[in-house]
Each structure stands twice: as structure tokens, then as C-alpha cells.
Amino acid sequence: MNKSFSENVLKKRIFSPTTFISFTIAALIISFLLTRFDIDISQTWERISQADPKLYIAAAIVYYVGFIIRGYRWRLLVQNAHPEETKNPLPSLMFFGQSMFLGWFVNSISWFRMGDAYRAYLLSNKGHLSFSRTMGSVLAERVLDMLIVTGLLAFAAGMLWRSKSENISGLLIIAIGLACLALVGLFGMTLIGKRLALRLPGPLRAIYLNFHEGTTKSFRRLPHIVLASATSWLFEVMRLFLMAYALNLEVSIPLLLFTALAASLLSTTPITPGGVGIVEFGMTGIFMIALSREDAISLTLLDRSIQYLSVIILGSLLFMVRALLTRRSQATSSQ
């Protein structure tokens, strides 16, 4: 994996016609949302402007601390996936958290979760690790997230079942389906992965075996990894709670938990980058179980200003700074 990945391939994908088409689709979805719910934009803006700025900042801090927690969990998975390659110290926890954030940023502006491959590249380049095995740890992380999200969605839905919401039933079915696919894929890789590798040409066989071992070995020390996962979701609920409190809204913890999980699930939708448009539609619909239309929309937009908009702004700045520092380092080393 050469150094042109981060600058050349990534730029081509981000600025490709498909990316602009996907943002057009997102704009159409948001336009439909505005007309479907007959939103009074001025009233919604007035409601948002009344939010407590201190609680808003607290929610932003909680959100960004969550990247450190997710970075810690990924570090554990990488240590499991590279037992013989991690005798030398891995990069710092801050590097893992920063890489998680940059991956989130790339996922927010491109299709097909390309940010996952980008952060795997950053780590493999920084830590001199196998890229394919590092991607295996990322896949293990995705499988783990899908299983935990499904379990927590079922738990939250059980507490909200009296509402008999179609949103809840539909999202539960989607989550269970994805979790089943993830499990089937993982068990299939465990059972027949090495047999499949024997049928591949030599170079591809080595890459696949690294990827296979990176995925299957990542699940060691599972209690620590599950605890880190649960903590990261606790921070997601805490952020939404602070947002609701900033708007002086009363929302139950089960509904906040379900909404946070649903937003994460919807953000993986490949139709738009980061699920923009789809996430807003889903969050608003779920919040309307307990809130008025105006309050549901205000809470959704305020939360997405941190969860999506701030990621694009700060991620763009960090991405450009890293690119500039990399070029300076290359120029210095070539002299």
C-alpha cells in the first residue's frame, strides 16, 4: 500500500461524479423531509437558537471523546490481529482516536465506507503493519458493532414496544438481517476461509490469509472489547441527552438509546455519504414518538450539526494539515 493512497486515490473518489450525485440525492431527501413534514423553517431556527450553548458544547465534547474510546477499542483489536507484529509499541491512543475521526470524516463525504480503508492505511503506514491484516481488524470491528447494535436495539425496542411504531419494527428487522449476514460471513470465513485461500494465486493467497487471520484473531480478550463498545454507546446516549436537555425537552433514555443506535445504522446506508438525509429523516420520525414535530426536527438538526456538520468542517481542516505536514516531511527527506 503506497503513500499515493491517501492523496491520489482518496481525492479521486471524493471528487468523483458519483459523490456529487449522492449529495444531490441527499439534498432531494432533505427537501422531501421539509415538504413532507410541512416545516416552518423560521420557527425551527428560533427553537434551535434558544438552545443552551454550554450544554451544546458539553455534548460536542462528549461526542469527540467518543472517538478516543473507539480508538482504544480498535487498538485492542489490532493488538489481537497482529500478535507477532506488535512487539514494538503501537502508535499512541491519540493517533488511534485521530485515525477513527479521519475515517469518520471520509465516510461522511464518500460512498461505501471508504474511511474504514483510509484509517487502516494510516495505521499500517504509521505502525509498519500489514494493511490486509489491519483491514481484518476493521471488519471484526464492524461485525462486533452490528451484533451489539442489534442487541441494544432489541433491548430499547422492548422498552418502547407500547408505541408499536413502524419505525422501530422496520429498523429492528434491518438490524437483525444485517447482524445475521455478518455472523454468516464471519462463520463462513472461519470454516472455509483457509480452504478458499488454497484456490487463490500466490500473491492473492497471502493477502487473503492476512485478512482472514486479522479478522478471526481480533476477537480475543472479548470482555475488554465489549466493555469498550458499551462505553462508546453510553457516550452516544449521553450526547443526545445533553442535546435534549439543551432544548429543554424531556425524552426517555430508551428512546435516546434507540435513536442513537438507529442513526448509527442508517449512517451506513450506501445511497448517500454518511447516510445524510436518510439519518435526519429516520431520527425525526423516531423522535416524533414522544415529541412534537417542531421539537423533533429541532433536536435532530441540532444533533446532526455536531454529528455530521462539525465532522466535515474539522475533518477537512485536519485532513489538509496532515497532507501539508506529509508533503513537508517528504520534501525534507528528499533533500
Side-chain angles (χ1 to χ4, degrees), residues 152-153 155-156 159-160 233-234 237 240 252-263:
L152 289 176
L153 271 174
F155 172 76
M159 300 182 71
L160 295 168
W233 286 113
L234 176 64
V237 176
L240 272 177
S252 69
I253 297 299
L255 184 60
L256 292 176
L257 173 61
F258 190 90
T259 307
L261 294 164

Side-chain angles (χ1 to χ4, degrees), residues 56-282:
Y56 180 84
I57 293 172
I61 292 172
V62 166
Y63 178 66
Y64 281 97
V65 170
F67 284 110
I68 303 298
I69 298 172
R70 291 178 180 274
Y72 170 74
R73 181 185 64 169
W74 187 31
R75 199 171 193 269
L76 291 176
L77 291 168
V78 169
Q79 287 175 336
N80 290 340
H82 301 79
E84 71 284 351
E85 295 183 47
T86 53
K87 294 178 181 178
N88 297 322
L90 285 171
S92 68
L93 179 58
M94 288 301 296
F95 176 85
F96 274 87
Q98 185 185 100
S99 298
M100 289 294 301
F101 172 68
L102 283 171
W104 216 272
F105 159 67
V106 175
N107 283 338
S108 298
I109 59 175
S110 63
W111 278 12
F112 305 118
R113 300 193 67 84
M114 189 178 175
D116 291 343
Y118 178 62
R119 63 182 167 99
Y121 156 77
L122 291 177
L123 177 59
S124 61
N125 188 49
K126 176 76 172 180
H128 305 289
L129 301 172
S130 162
F131 175 77
S132 55
R133 188 169 291 202
T134 303
M135 276 301 298
S137 71
V138 172
L139 175 61
E141 179 190 81
R142 295 294 100 207
V143 171
L144 182 66
D145 263 341
M146 195 56 60
L147 295 175
I148 290 175
V149 165
T150 303
L152 289 176
L153 271 174
F155 172 76
M159 300 182 71
L160 295 168
W161 197 252
R162 292 180 183 178
S163 63
K164 297 182 180 178
S165 167
E166 293 181 2
N167 291 321
I168 291 177
S169 301
L171 283 167
L172 258 182
I173 291 171
I174 293 172
I176 291 172
L178 290 175
C180 289
L181 286 175
L183 278 176
V184 169
L186 183 62
F187 284 127
M189 180 179 289
T190 302
L191 294 174
I192 65 172
K194 291 189 176 181
R195 294 179 185 176
L196 175 64
L198 295 175
R199 299 177 179 273
L200 296 174
L204 287 179
R205 184 186 308 160
I207 292 173
Y208 178 79
L209 284 174
N210 271 329
F211 178 75
H212 174 274
E213 291 184 6
T215 303
T216 55
K217 289 183 178 180
S218 292
F219 291 99
R220 298 170 179 173
R221 295 186 293 174
L222 197 56
H224 295 84
I225 294 170
V226 171
L227 179 60
S229 300
T231 304
S232 69
W233 286 113
L234 176 64
F235 271 65
E236 291 286 319
V237 176
M238 194 185 306
R239 184 198 75 243
L240 272 177
F241 175 80
L242 289 169
M243 283 295 187
Y245 197 37
L247 288 170
N248 197 28
L249 300 174
E250 292 186 6
V251 185
S252 69
I253 297 299
L255 184 60
L256 292 176
L257 173 61
F258 190 90
T259 307
L261 294 164
S264 175
L265 183 64
L266 292 171
S267 68
T268 63
T269 305
I271 300 175
T272 63
V276 62
I278 297 172
V279 174
E280 289 78 9
F281 187 83

